[in-house]
Amino acid sequence: MDTLSVAVAREEAAIGRQAIVQGWVRTRRDSKGGFSFVELNDGSCLANIQVICDGDLPNYETEIKKLSAGCSVTVSGEVKPSGGKGQSTELHAAEVTVHGWADPETYPLQKKRHSFEKLREWAHLRPRTNTFGAVARVRNTISRSIHNYFQEQQFLYIHTPIITASDCEGAGEMFRVTTLDLETIAAKETKIDYALDFFDRPAYLTVSGQLEGEIYATALGKVYTFGPTFRAENSNTSRHLAEFWMIEPEVAFAELPEDMDLAEGLIKRIFADVLGDCSEDMQFFNDRIDETVIATLESIVASSFERITYSEAVDLLQKSSKKFEFEPVWGEDLQSEHERYLTEEAIGRPVIVTDYPSSIKPFYMRLSEDEKTVAAMDVLVPKVGEIIGGSQREERLDVLESRMRDQELDPQEYWWYLDLRRFGTVPHAGFGLGLERVVQFTTGMTNIRDVIPFPRTPGSAEF
């Protein structure tokens, strides 16, 4: 007798097999004919498997008829054809073992539907719901797709530090890491002496693994990181998290065109894999969350991304008859409403915008010949706008040092980063893709807090 997942047991190929299926009860209903129907789910797929429990089972009256949502069981029996709607198989139980009970009076996930906001209070239980089980499976497929995409192109997966002394973005919104007794320091109103701290200097949770990724790219050629990053931005919105996961490839001997090709290929690969491997879950999101998600993903996979410069984008926006909340002005960053207009109305497909003003971009982006723009690129998609941000990196030592000073950064604090330009510098490029943004876009979920298992936001770190 084999142990099967619900997903496998639901397949016609399983008919006739003696099987063990384990999971959690979703519902139970009793028949007047002296048997019960138990809907069982183990998280392997969206659908449940129906278990037929005959009244002659030894624990039918004492346990099976008391099963309710949330109870955990192991069922042994035969997989048989089912005449029930929406299912090709069912499991006829020969033995049912109850492992854990869930009091229907106190178990929160009964038949009543709860809002996503309410379910955030039960982050330890919400994976048992259809929506969050589907989110987890899609997130898993996206993660696997990302690794496969890079591995198949001979990228090396590297692990960059979570604790860092460098601010990649220069924004200053970083979480500090310390072993100092802050209460004592505050009580004495003394100045912080970092010589007494664990790292002998200010240290932070990383906002990006890019700078460290460049170290390995300039030694090993093609690398990517995939790990947690942190922002101490006090933004209580549906698009921001304090902890999130980033994918950041870096490629030596590559310039901006190759960077754009890599980004476009990654987006298409992710969406194609999700459509192919998560069809049941995607149909659920299409039916229950956003009726356009499948068509949107199919359109992006089939499309060729338009490529325009920032100046061309601003010109399109300024010539538009559409009224924007923020007036498009050359030299200012594009707002989400501008990005969505470009993809949804002006061009009608994904857009890669390049050559942004140097004044609004970080020091590490390569300065163009006009000295007004940098070799940056943002990938924009319908409904959300920017989904990838990247650039060709500045490989010229003198220009990089000048850019640092312009942004009031001390080059001496980045001596190791400058060494990459002193010793065998090469053109190189890369980008960053936020995993949660991709999951949110793929599923149609409106709040980013609902596409990460345990959201970290201002005032929220309970689980």
Side-chain angles (χ1 to χ4, degrees):
M1 187 173 291
D2 300 321
T3 299
L4 304 182
S5 68
V6 168
V8 172
R10 283 179 54 83
E11 297 175 357
E12 289 187 11
I15 293 174
R17 294 179 67 176
Q18 297 294 319
I20 299 171
V21 178
Q22 300 171 308
W24 291 266
V25 173
R26 287 293 175 85
T27 64
R28 188 208 83 245
R29 58 187 177 88
D30 302 322
S31 170
K32 293 180 181 179
F35 59 93
S36 297
F37 299 97
V38 176
E39 293 286 325
L40 195 64
N41 191 280
D42 65 352
S44 61
C45 61
L46 180 69
N48 309 319
I49 189 166
Q50 181 171 270
V51 180
I52 310 299
C53 301
D54 288 330
D56 59 1
L57 288 170
N59 60 339
Y60 182 76
E61 293 291 339
T62 58
E63 291 187 316
I64 294 173
K65 289 190 69 174
K66 296 179 181 178
L67 290 174
S68 59
C71 294
S72 54
V73 298
T74 292
V75 181
S76 304
E78 183 179 353
V79 181
K80 295 186 176 183
S82 174
K85 184 178 180 181
Q87 60 189 31
S88 57
T89 68
E90 60 190 23
L91 182 63
H92 286 238
E95 182 180 0
V96 177
T97 301
V98 181
H99 299 287
W101 298 95
D103 184 353
E105 297 299 320
T106 57
Y107 182 55
L109 304 181
Q110 294 296 324
K111 290 184 178 180
K112 178 183 176 183
R113 293 185 65 182
H114 299 285
S115 67
F116 292 150
E117 184 177 6
K118 184 64 179 176
L119 287 171
R120 286 177 214 135
E121 299 176 13
W122 302 319
H124 59 306
L125 296 176
R126 71 177 186 171
R128 303 185 187 188
T129 65
N130 286 336
T131 300
F132 289 93
V135 167
R137 286 185 292 272
V138 169
R139 183 183 173 107
N140 174 73
T141 295
I142 290 173
S143 298
R144 184 178 67 237
S145 178
I146 290 165
H147 280 295
N148 288 345
Y149 178 76
F150 288 118
Q151 291 291 326
E152 289 166 9
Q153 299 184 62
Q154 289 75 53
F155 277 71
L156 292 177
Y157 175 36
I158 65 168
H159 302 97
T160 53
I162 290 175
I163 298 174
T164 180
S166 303
D167 182 359
C168 177
E169 300 297 327
E173 296 166 336
M174 304 175 73
F175 289 102
R176 182 160 290 174
V177 176
T178 182
T179 57
L180 295 174
D181 187 340
L182 300 182
E183 291 184 1
T184 300
I185 293 172
K188 293 182 178 179
E189 297 183 354
T190 57
K191 187 177 180 180
I192 298 175
D193 182 0
Y194 287 105
L196 302 176
D197 208 352
F198 189 91
F199 294 107
D200 195 29
R201 69 191 65 196
Y204 310 89
L205 296 179
T206 186
V207 298
S208 169
Q210 178 201 315
L211 303 188
E212 293 84 0
E214 288 186 52
I215 293 174
Y216 273 76
T218 53
L220 303 175
K222 298 191 294 186
V223 303
Y224 71 103
T225 72
F226 190 161
T229 52
F230 307 85
R231 296 283 172 89
E233 181 181 354
N234 191 15
S235 295
N236 231 326
T237 76
S238 62
R239 288 173 54 84
H240 291 87
L241 291 167
E243 175 184 293
F244 52 97
W245 285 68
M246 285 282 286
I247 301 93
E248 297 176 287
E250 287 292 329
V251 186
F253 304 100
E255 298 186 358
L256 194 62
E258 293 94 333
D259 203 31
M260 290 189 283
D261 290 343
L262 188 70
E264 180 174 345
L266 175 60
I267 292 296
K268 290 181 176 179
R269 172 61 180 272
I270 290 171
F271 294 162
D273 284 349
V274 169
L275 288 169
D277 298 342
C278 298
S279 57
E280 184 183 43
D281 290 317
M282 287 308 302
Q283 190 61 55
F284 171 82
F285 289 119
N286 208 80
D287 293 340
R288 300 293 185 89
I289 305 298
D290 180 348
E291 64 182 7
T292 68
V293 288
I294 291 179
T296 299
L297 297 190
E298 291 175 337
S299 174
I300 290 175
V301 170
S303 69
S304 176
F305 292 14
E306 183 77 10
R307 301 182 182 189
I308 63 175
T309 66
Y310 167 88
S311 296
E312 290 170 335
V314 171
D315 190 50
L316 279 172
L317 293 165
Q318 291 176 339
K319 289 180 178 179
S320 164
S321 59
K322 188 177 182 67
K323 297 299 181 182
F324 297 106
E325 181 181 354
F326 297 95
E327 182 181 354
V329 177
W330 200 100
E332 296 183 7
D333 216 346
L334 299 180
Q335 301 295 318
S336 179
E337 60 175 336
H338 303 148
E339 296 169 342
R340 290 190 59 180
Y341 171 78
L342 292 171
T343 61
E344 296 171 15
E345 299 182 50
I347 296 172
R349 62 179 184 274
V351 180
I352 305 180
V353 179
T354 65
D355 303 294
Y356 282 78
S358 59
S359 59
I360 60 174
K361 290 298 184 180
F363 68 91
Y364 53 76
M365 296 188 175
R366 194 181 199 277
L367 190 64
S368 303
E369 296 302 319
D370 61 12
E371 297 189 353
K372 295 180 181 179
T373 61
V374 290
M377 66 99 179
D378 286 347
V379 180
L380 315 181
V381 294
K383 296 194 282 188
V384 298
E386 181 194 341
I387 198 167
I388 283 179
S391 73
Q392 182 176 338
R393 315 311 190 189
E394 182 57 74
E395 86 280 9
R396 298 164 294 184
L397 178 61
D398 58 336
V399 179
L400 182 59
E401 289 179 321
S402 176
R403 289 273 288 153
M404 285 180 168
R405 293 190 184 96
D406 288 345
Q407 296 189 16
E408 299 181 351
L409 296 173
D410 183 1
Q412 291 301 315
E413 294 183 3
Y414 295 84
W415 63 269
W416 52 272
Y417 189 68
L418 297 176
D419 269 2
L420 303 180
R421 278 71 179 170
R422 292 189 180 100
F423 309 126
T425 189
V426 293
H428 59 290
F431 60 79
L433 169 66
L435 177 61
E436 285 71 31
R437 289 281 175 91
V438 178
V439 179
Q440 189 178 6
F441 179 80
T442 304
T443 59
M445 298 291 285
T446 57
N447 197 309
I448 202 166
R449 303 175 193 201
D450 297 327
V451 296
I452 190 170
F454 304 98
R456 296 290 178 257
T457 56
S460 177
E462 182 173 357
F463 293 94

